[in-house]
Amino acid sequence: MPSRANGPDKEPSATERARLLKIVCPPGSVCHLCRGARGPIIWGLRRWHSLGPSMDHVVPRSQGGTWDLWNLRPAHYGCNSGRRDRDIPAVPGVRSRRWGHRGG
């Protein structure tokens, strides 16, 4: 049985992670967590820079998420590390339809 930290599939090698990162998060990608509020994802920054590239698991690894492409989205390193294994935040500035329209 796989450990909770590793999810159902094994951790990819560093080479495979780099290949996946280039596919999931090409230069100019928009972070799916902040939806671009912090600007585009920037390649070429120091390692682990908050605006640098990372892959977010839609279903977190700790909750059984895999390394399959359908489960990976582009994200800023800072947004992704801040999310941890919590639910994906709602769209900033967009209200639920239940709130109704506040017209004037």
Side-chain angles (χ1 to χ4, degrees):
M1 175 141 207
S3 72
R4 211 174 143 245
N6 292 333
D9 57 348
K10 70 177 193 166
E11 195 78 20
S13 67
T15 303
E16 179 65 9
R17 284 177 71 103
R19 185 185 75 78
L20 285 170
L21 187 62
K22 287 179 182 174
I23 293 169
V24 172
C25 191
S29 295
V30 174
C31 174
H32 91 109
L33 295 172
C34 74
R35 292 167 175 83
R38 297 179 67 196
I41 297 169
I42 304 170
W43 282 78
L45 300 172
R46 65 176 165 73
R47 190 173 185 183
W48 300 310
H49 188 284
S50 65
L51 296 177
S54 76
M55 297 175 283
D56 179 53
H57 289 84
V58 176
V59 177
R61 304 267 301 138
S62 64
Q63 296 174 15
T66 66
W67 284 94
D68 295 324
L69 285 175
W70 65 264
N71 193 42
L72 301 173
R73 298 290 183 276
H76 291 113
Y77 179 81
C79 295
N80 194 8
S81 62
R83 175 186 172 213
R84 299 184 184 222
D85 65 350
R86 294 180 287 226
D87 289 338
I88 296 172
V91 179
V94 176
R95 291 177 180 247
S96 166
R97 290 181 185 179
R98 290 182 295 158
W99 285 82
H101 177 67
R102 296 179 84 186

